[in-house]
Amino acid sequence: MKILVVEDNTKQAQFISQSLNAAGHQTDVAHNGQAGLFCALQTDYDLIITDRMMPKLDGLKMLKALRASGNQTPALILSALDSVDERVKGLRSGGDDYLIKPFAFSELLARAEILARRTPAAHADNSHIQALDTLTLDLLSRKAKRGDTCIQLNNREFQILEYFMANPGRVITRTMLLERVWSHHFDPQTNVIDVHISRLRKKIDLEHHTPLLHTVRGAGYVLEIRL
C-alpha cells in the first residue's frame, strides 16, 4: 500500500513510517494538516493515517477539506481523545476509523489493512483539484467552493485564485500577478490588482471564520491559513 502519514510529532511519525515500510508498505510523511492536505491532493494514496491535533490545520479540518474536494481515500484518525463524542466527531468529519493513543503497532497495521481492502485500489485522479482549508478549486470544471457554498468567479478572478492556490503560503507581488494573469508588464502601482483582490477576498472569505487571502504590507498578498 501507498500510505500518507500526517503527524506533527516527529518521533512518532518516524516510528509509524518506518514500521509500515518494514511491513512492506510505501509511506510519505507530512508534519501538519496543511502539508498533509497538499500531499493528499497531489498524490494517489491507498490510505491516510492522520493525527488529530496538529498545527496549521488539524486532522479533522484536513479531512473535511479533502472530502469536500471529492477525495475519498480511506483515513485512519489517531488521537488521545477517547470519549464517544470525540470518536463520533472524528468519523463524521471524514474519518473511516479512529484509533486511540497510545496504541500497539500491530493493531494500527491490522486496521490499516482492513481499511485498504474496503476500497478499490485504483482511485479517481484528483490532480485537477486544488484545496486549502475548506476552499477548493476544480481546474477542469472551473468551479470554486468554500465548504458547501459555490463561488461564482469571472475568468480573471479564476486565474488569480488558481495562481494563489498553486502557491499556498508564498507572498505574491502585484508585479507577479500582472505578469502571470494579465501577461503584460503594467505599472505595478496601478490599482487594478487591488480592485480584483478585494472582489476575490469578499467572495472566498466573506462570512467565513477563517480568512485565507491576506495582504502583506509593502509586499503583496498571500493565501494561507493563519491561526
Side-chain angles (χ1 to χ4, degrees), residues 38 42 127-132 135-145 151 153-170 172 176-177 180-182 197 200 204 213 223:
F38 178 81
Q42 296 299 315
S127 59
H128 62 285
I129 302 290
Q130 295 181 325
L132 181 66
L135 176 64
T136 59
L137 187 68
D138 189 322
L139 303 182
L140 294 182
S141 67
R142 298 182 69 82
K143 293 180 179 179
K145 293 177 69 177
I151 303 170
L153 300 175
N154 62 37
N155 185 59
R156 193 75 74 189
E157 292 165 345
F158 183 90
Q159 290 178 292
I160 295 172
L161 183 56
E162 180 183 6
Y163 190 33
F164 276 112
M165 294 287 276
N167 296 276
R170 178 186 178 188
I172 306 297
M176 291 165 66
L177 284 170
R180 173 74 179 216
V181 178
W182 277 262
I197 290 293
L200 183 60
I204 68 174
L213 186 54
L223 187 75

Side-chain angles (χ1 to χ4, degrees), residues 2-29:
K2 189 169 186 178
I3 302 172
L4 174 62
V5 178
V6 190
E7 169 64 70
D8 64 314
N9 184 305
T10 304
K11 290 185 177 179
Q12 187 153 52
Q14 184 178 29
F15 165 73
I16 294 173
S17 177
Q18 290 179 347
S19 298
L20 288 170
N21 290 339
H25 304 293
Q26 179 184 350
T27 59
D28 289 335
V29 176

Side-chain angles (χ1 to χ4, degrees), residues 79-147:
S79 179
L81 302 176
D82 60 357
S83 71
V84 173
D85 287 344
E86 294 298 339
R87 286 179 296 191
V88 169
K89 186 183 298 183
L91 296 173
R92 286 180 172 169
S93 295
D96 296 277
D97 198 358
Y98 194 102
L99 183 59
I100 304 300
K101 293 182 178 182
F103 52 82
F105 176 73
S106 58
E107 182 179 3
L108 182 148
L109 182 60
R111 288 173 180 257
E113 291 173 344
I114 290 171
L115 285 176
R117 288 201 298 268
R118 292 179 184 172
T119 306
H123 301 295
D125 179 10
N126 290 299
S127 59
H128 62 285
I129 302 290
Q130 295 181 325
L132 181 66
D133 192 39
T134 57
L135 176 64
T136 59
L137 187 68
D138 189 322
L139 303 182
L140 294 182
S141 67
R142 298 182 69 82
K143 293 180 179 179
K145 293 177 69 177
R146 185 76 194 266

Side-chain angles (χ1 to χ4, degrees), residues 26 30 33 35 38 44-45 51 68 70 129 163 171 177 183 201 209 218:
Q26 179 184 350
F38 178 81
D44 286 337
Y45 293 100
D51 186 26
I129 302 290
Y163 190 33
V171 175
L177 284 170
S183 301
R201 180 181 282 128
H209 296 297

